[in-house]
Amino acid sequence: MNFLKNFTLLMIMLTILVACGKTVEDADKYTSSIENIAIPDDVSIVGLGEATHGNVEFQDLRKDVFQVLVEKEDIRAFVIEGDFGGAQVVDSYIAGDGGTAEEAINALDFDIYKTEQMLNLVEWMHDYNESVDIGEKVRFYGNDMQRYDESKASLLAYFELVDHEAAQNYEEKLKAATNDNLYDLTEAELKNIDESIVDIKDDLEKNADKYIETLSESMYETALQHANVLGQRVDLSLHEDEYANKRDQYLAENLEWIKDFVEPQGHDKVFVTGHNGHIEKTSAAFGYKSMGDYLDETFGDSYFAIGTESARNTFLADNGDGERETFTVKNNSPLTKAFGNVEADSFYVDFEQAEMNDDLDDIISSKQKMTNIGDDFRSWYKISKFFYTNKMVPNEAYDGLIIVDEATPTENIKK
């Protein structure tokens, strides 16, 4: 009887241990440093996700991974989950057209980018461009559409050069479309703005030959894309119940536009960085289809997605009252525990290599609770992983994963 009781207790303990995960003894054989990340030759888009926006380590990875891709993969286009128009200001700065790095990142108009890590990235790009020939310079783009000001300003500046009278007309028609009014516009005002954008796009398309001859084809295409992005922003406001799904569809479309735009410049690959929820391929987050899912459908194996994860995560986020606050969560999943013996503070796992190990293959091929935290967080979310993780199969969502031992919070640059 005692034997049976002890055996039952042992089996229960073993079940708990298995459920909680285990360290894979030789897991380090299937990891590499960030500097040694290898991308397959047929890849044209490399995506890097962030488990959480407000971390020093995940923000540093934008620069670290991009540097590797510049040096080893001939990638020169950097695309961020940020405002298309605002990113043009950053691109102008790194091209040497004046201003400061701080002014440039402020144009993106998101607190998550007003950090020392973002400054370091933009300043590195600026200095790199000063050291290379024109054909090797890096470019900075945004594929998001959540703002008005910078895209509107660029579009009106373009019309000032090709048709001054039209510029004055469109400036009046788009007067209400501002970042300050973003959440205050009525449905009637939004529809008026939308009609004006349709008129602007018609103007651009009907007068394409004249406008291209006046300036250039690339300037024309960029102006038309600014108009498209403004129209996307209006569409999000008019269909708030479909916001998340529409946004990721537009993120994918805008990224494809950027890829097509830079290809004639001699570099046919692009790097895109954003939240894990946008980069991953399986639409694991409830309620919308991810950008990565769209990209996977369109580009197949040519889209290579890298996720990020951390077992211990302290991050900066909006607390729901318009203030930025530091929070801490833990996610000691079987996935993170499997690499518990790896000594490096951060390392890359190529899933194709990891699948060669039976234990690792079992883990990355089964559903895991992976950290998924946006720019908004509430203290009560910590009561359950349900509120800050997504269940997903790692090797279906990503081609590789960067694991950070402990993620620490960013600080916003004070004005």
Side-chain angles (χ1 to χ4, degrees):
M1 191 68 151
N2 285 338
F3 171 78
L4 188 58
K5 182 178 179 181
N6 290 337
F7 178 78
T8 302
L9 182 60
L10 177 62
M11 291 306 296
I12 291 172
M13 290 175 66
L14 287 173
T15 301
I16 291 172
L17 286 172
V18 171
C20 292
K22 62 180 181 179
T23 298
V24 176
E25 196 169 315
D26 58 350
D28 60 328
K29 293 181 181 179
Y30 304 93
T31 69
S32 68
S33 66
I34 307 304
E35 292 79 9
N36 290 321
I37 288 177
I39 306 297
D41 291 338
D42 59 350
V43 167
S44 59
I45 299 175
V46 178
L48 174 67
E50 297 172 346
T52 317
H53 282 310
N55 300 103
V56 169
E57 289 74 16
F58 295 149
Q59 290 208 5
D60 278 341
L61 284 173
R62 295 174 190 152
K63 175 175 171 288
D64 296 341
V65 174
F66 185 58
Q67 280 187 265
V68 171
L69 298 178
V70 169
E71 293 167 4
K72 295 184 176 181
E73 305 295 335
D74 196 36
I75 290 180
R76 295 295 183 274
F78 179 101
V79 185
I80 199 166
E81 178 201 337
D83 179 55
F84 179 81
Q88 296 287 295
V89 178
V90 181
D91 189 59
S92 179
Y93 169 72
I94 68 170
D97 294 337
T100 67
E102 189 165 336
E103 290 169 345
I105 63 174
N106 283 340
L108 294 171
D109 200 35
F110 284 97
D111 285 339
I112 58 173
Y113 298 136
K114 298 174 183 177
T115 65
E116 199 67 38
Q117 292 69 42
M118 196 68 186
L119 279 179
N120 292 339
L121 166 66
V122 171
E123 287 172 343
W124 175 82
M125 296 174 84
H126 174 274
D127 294 346
Y128 175 86
N129 280 345
E130 286 190 329
S131 70
V132 297
D133 294 334
I134 190 166
E136 296 303 311
K137 293 184 186 294
V138 295
R139 303 293 303 273
F140 190 102
Y141 297 93
N143 64 331
D144 215 336
M145 70 310 298
Q146 296 186 100
R147 295 293 186 265
Y148 285 118
D149 288 358
E150 298 298 344
S151 280
K152 184 177 81 168
S154 294
L155 184 60
L156 293 176
Y158 177 81
F159 272 103
E160 278 290 349
L161 297 172
V162 296
D163 189 334
H164 172 68
E165 187 175 334
Q168 290 182 312
N169 179 33
Y170 296 142
E171 182 174 13
E172 182 61 29
K173 287 186 173 183
L174 296 178
K175 190 174 182 179
T178 69
N179 293 352
D180 289 339
N181 288 347
L182 198 58
Y183 304 108
D184 300 322
L185 294 167
T186 65
E187 184 176 347
E189 288 173 322
L190 287 166
K191 287 182 176 179
N192 285 336
I193 294 170
D194 193 47
E195 289 174 5
S196 297
I197 293 169
V198 171
D199 290 343
I200 290 170
K201 290 166 69 174
D202 285 345
D203 183 338
L204 286 166
E205 290 165 2
K206 288 176 182 176
N207 294 288
D209 292 341
K210 182 177 73 172
Y211 292 162
I212 290 170
E213 185 178 351
T214 301
L215 294 175
S216 70
E217 186 172 0
S218 65
M219 291 181 71
Y220 168 81
E221 289 176 353
T222 303
L224 184 56
Q225 180 62 7
H226 279 299
N228 286 332
V229 167
L230 289 172
Q232 292 168 1
R233 171 62 255 189
V234 176
D235 191 41
L236 292 182
S237 295
L238 286 171
H239 302 90
E240 291 186 355
D241 57 330
E242 301 176 62
Y243 192 102
N245 199 52
K246 281 180 171 290
R247 182 180 171 221
D248 268 63
Q249 180 181 346
Y250 288 143
L251 285 171
E253 290 177 2
N254 293 340
L255 180 62
E256 190 169 353
W257 180 91
I258 293 165
K259 182 182 180 300
D260 291 342
F261 183 75
V262 302
E263 192 165 346
Q265 301 169 21
H267 301 283
D268 59 356
K269 300 179 181 180
V270 300
F271 170 71
V272 59
T273 179
H275 193 271
N276 271 353
H278 300 304
I279 297 298
E280 66 98 359
K281 303 177 180 182
T282 60
S283 300
F286 175 75
Y288 69 94
K289 182 175 179 177
S290 68
M291 175 187 74
D293 200 340
Y294 284 109
L295 296 177
D296 188 45
E297 282 185 358
T298 303
F299 296 98
D301 291 340
S302 292
Y303 173 54
F304 193 89
I306 302 172
T308 56
E309 181 60 293
S310 178
R312 297 183 298 279
N313 192 329
T314 303
F315 57 94
L316 190 68
D318 189 306
N319 64 8
D321 295 323
E323 297 179 357
R324 301 191 72 69
E325 185 178 336
T326 298
F327 301 92
T328 299
V329 298
K330 292 182 179 180
N331 186 24
N332 295 310
S333 67
L335 177 61
T336 56
K337 285 186 176 181
F339 295 92
N341 285 342
V342 179
E343 294 183 1
D345 292 333
S346 64
F347 52 90
Y348 174 66
V349 182
D350 186 314
F351 285 157
E352 187 174 3
Q353 296 297 316
E355 287 167 2
M356 297 170 64
N357 179 289
D358 290 341
D359 290 332
L360 290 177
D361 187 32
D362 287 343
I363 292 169
I364 64 176
S365 301
S366 60
K367 279 195 173 182
Q368 302 288 323
K369 290 182 178 179
M370 299 187 69
T371 307
N372 183 70
I373 300 170
D375 191 39
D376 295 308
F377 198 83
R378 311 290 183 270
S379 292
W380 61 267
Y381 288 3
K382 293 190 285 184
I383 64 174
S384 171
K385 286 188 179 182
F386 173 83
F387 297 108
Y388 61 88
T389 64
N390 274 340
K391 280 188 176 181
M392 61 176 69
V393 179
N395 67 353
E396 292 179 3
Y398 305 109
D399 298 286
L401 186 72
I402 296 174
I403 298 178
V404 173
D405 181 46
E406 184 170 4
T408 58
T410 54
E411 290 183 12
N412 281 129
I413 297 170
K414 302 229 180 339
K415 294 182 180 179

